[in-house]
């Protein structure tokens, strides 16, 4: 049995006016924010799904359903910490995270170091073990029209 397991997470959220825009646990100034039951942090949700998937624990909706008002407007950093606890209970720890955000605007490069610090702190890692990249869709599709945001995350787990 392998001591290493990899997980892939993906999340999508619609962008709407009047909502805060949380990415990677950081409030990013923007004219729109992500719509969701929680704070709709698409990056943290993708990381949670990658962690849960690698440990064969289902997905974020299984553990934190949007039908449960306990999670209404919850800070996704709390969900990330809870997912870290769930994988720890199965004997795993996170080795590294590699994530990509797909959004037309705003530019997130100035916020990446803070996102890395937030995520690393919640997962007990160093910032060098958290990779966050961003790309546009060159104005194509719902992302290009600034109607939504997408995040992909790969997480490597190691059995302790």
């Amino acid at each position: 049995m392998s001591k290493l397991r990899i997980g892939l997470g993906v999340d999508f959220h619609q962008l709407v006016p009047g909502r805060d825009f949380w990415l990677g646990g950081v409030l990013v100034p923007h004219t729109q924010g992500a719509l969701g039951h929680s704070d709709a942090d698409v990056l943290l949700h993708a990381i949670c799904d990658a962690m849960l998937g690698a440990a064969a624990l289902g997905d974020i909706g299984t553990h934190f359903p949007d039908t449960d008002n306990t999670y209404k407007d919850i800070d996704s950093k709390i969900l990330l910490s809870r997912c870290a606890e769930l994988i720890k209970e199965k004997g795993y720890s996170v080795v590294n995270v590699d994530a990509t955000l797909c959004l037309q605007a705003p530019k997130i490069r100035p916020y990446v170091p803070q996102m890395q610090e937030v995520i690393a702190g919640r997962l007990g890692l160093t910032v060098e073990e958290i990779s966050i990249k961003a790309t546009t869709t060159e104005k194509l599709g719902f992302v290009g029209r600034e109607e939504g945001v997408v995040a992909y995350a790969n997480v490597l787990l190691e059995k302790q």
Side-chain angles (χ1 to χ4, degrees):
M1 184 172 156
S2 175
K3 293 186 126 214
L4 298 175
R5 297 185 72 171
I6 192 163
L8 170 66
V10 62
D11 196 35
F12 301 75
H13 280 281
Q14 181 182 1
L15 290 173
V16 296
R19 291 267 304 183
D20 287 337
F21 195 28
W22 288 95
L23 289 172
V26 174
L27 183 59
V28 176
H30 191 45
T31 58
Q32 301 183 90
L35 182 63
H37 186 71
S38 66
D39 65 5
D41 189 323
V42 68
L43 179 56
L44 295 188
H45 293 181
I47 294 169
C48 286
D49 266 350
M51 291 167 52
L52 294 169
L57 289 171
D59 61 25
I60 195 170
T62 300
H63 296 276
F64 316 107
D66 63 6
T67 54
D68 185 340
N69 279 334
T70 304
Y71 306 112
K72 179 75 176 137
D73 297 322
I74 193 168
D75 182 336
S76 292
K77 292 185 294 293
I78 295 169
L79 302 181
L80 183 64
S81 293
R82 289 187 185 166
C83 287
E85 291 168 11
L86 288 169
I87 66 161
K88 186 176 181 180
E89 288 170 10
K90 277 199 78 173
Y92 291 100
S93 64
V94 177
V95 175
N96 73 300
V97 174
D98 181 29
T100 302
L101 284 162
C102 300
L103 70 167
Q104 199 63 44
K107 298 296 183 195
I108 61 122
R109 183 170 298 170
Y111 306 99
V112 168
Q114 189 179 352
M115 291 177 196
Q116 288 173 298
E117 288 178 23
V118 167
I119 296 164
R122 294 287 173 150
L123 299 180
L125 299 173
T126 66
V127 294
E128 291 80 19
E129 294 161 327
I130 308 295
S131 171
I132 301 170
K133 306 169 302 295
T135 188
T136 70
T137 59
E138 302 297 329
K139 306 235 183 233
L140 298 172
F142 71 89
V143 171
R145 292 188 301 271
E146 297 185 48
E147 296 169 357
V149 58
V150 180
Y152 299 91
N154 285 294
V155 171
L156 183 63
L157 300 185
E158 183 174 30
K159 189 81 165 183
Q160 298 304 299

